[in-house]
Amino acid sequence: VMKMLNSCIKEPHSFLAVFLMHHDGNARLDFIQNMEYKFVELLSCDFVASPEEVVRHQITFRYNSTKSKLKLMQSRLQDVNALVKSKNPSLLLQMQRQPGGGSRMGGYNR
């Protein structure tokens, strides 16, 4: 499927992806290849809308997962900043002055 999606992006004159969504929540994704003299259907995938509670659960899970990764990265950045500060304080000051400098994210809390 990934190869077909990439083909649709790289060669839009030869490959098509058609996604049709109906009012009842059902949908269909068709991958089609244009062979100049005819169109060949490579793959069809049928989709059914998930219940709202399942969608909410997935969104909550992904949000919490991303939030925990952010906290982990902030913690790692603070550790690196502390190490650089103890070993080479002038380097830390240079990193902080540069755009996108290292420790700016370290103080970010939500």
Side-chain angles (χ1 to χ4, degrees):
V1 174
M2 290 302 295
K3 187 176 178 182
M4 283 188 248
L5 281 171
N6 286 331
S7 294
C8 291
I9 294 168
K10 292 177 184 173
E11 303 175 57
H13 57 280
S14 298
F15 293 92
L16 303 166
V18 180
F19 186 75
L20 297 172
M21 184 177 259
H22 305 286
H23 292 288
D24 63 358
N26 292 323
R28 181 176 164 148
L29 176 63
D30 295 319
F31 291 97
I32 301 166
Q33 183 177 6
N34 180 357
M35 305 210 39
E36 292 188 27
Y37 60 94
K38 68 178 179 176
F39 288 93
V40 177
E41 188 176 296
L42 301 174
L43 177 69
S44 286
C45 302
D46 292 320
F47 293 89
V48 178
S50 295
E52 195 169 318
E53 186 59 33
V54 172
V55 174
R56 277 198 183 119
H57 179 66
Q58 284 294 314
I59 291 170
T60 302
F61 172 78
R62 289 170 190 260
Y63 174 78
N64 289 335
S65 175
T66 302
K67 192 174 174 182
S68 68
K69 286 178 187 177
L70 174 63
K71 285 187 180 198
L72 179 66
M73 290 296 124
Q74 287 173 334
S75 174
R76 285 183 184 172
L77 182 58
Q78 288 175 346
D79 292 346
V80 169
N81 282 345
L83 181 64
V84 171
K85 186 176 183 179
S86 68
K87 300 288 183 184
N88 192 346
S90 63
L91 177 60
L92 180 63
L93 290 173
Q94 287 177 357
M95 288 171 36
Q96 289 173 339
R97 275 188 253 140
Q98 291 178 354
S103 69
R104 290 187 182 158
M105 289 292 290
Y108 181 77
N109 292 320
R110 267 210 174 168

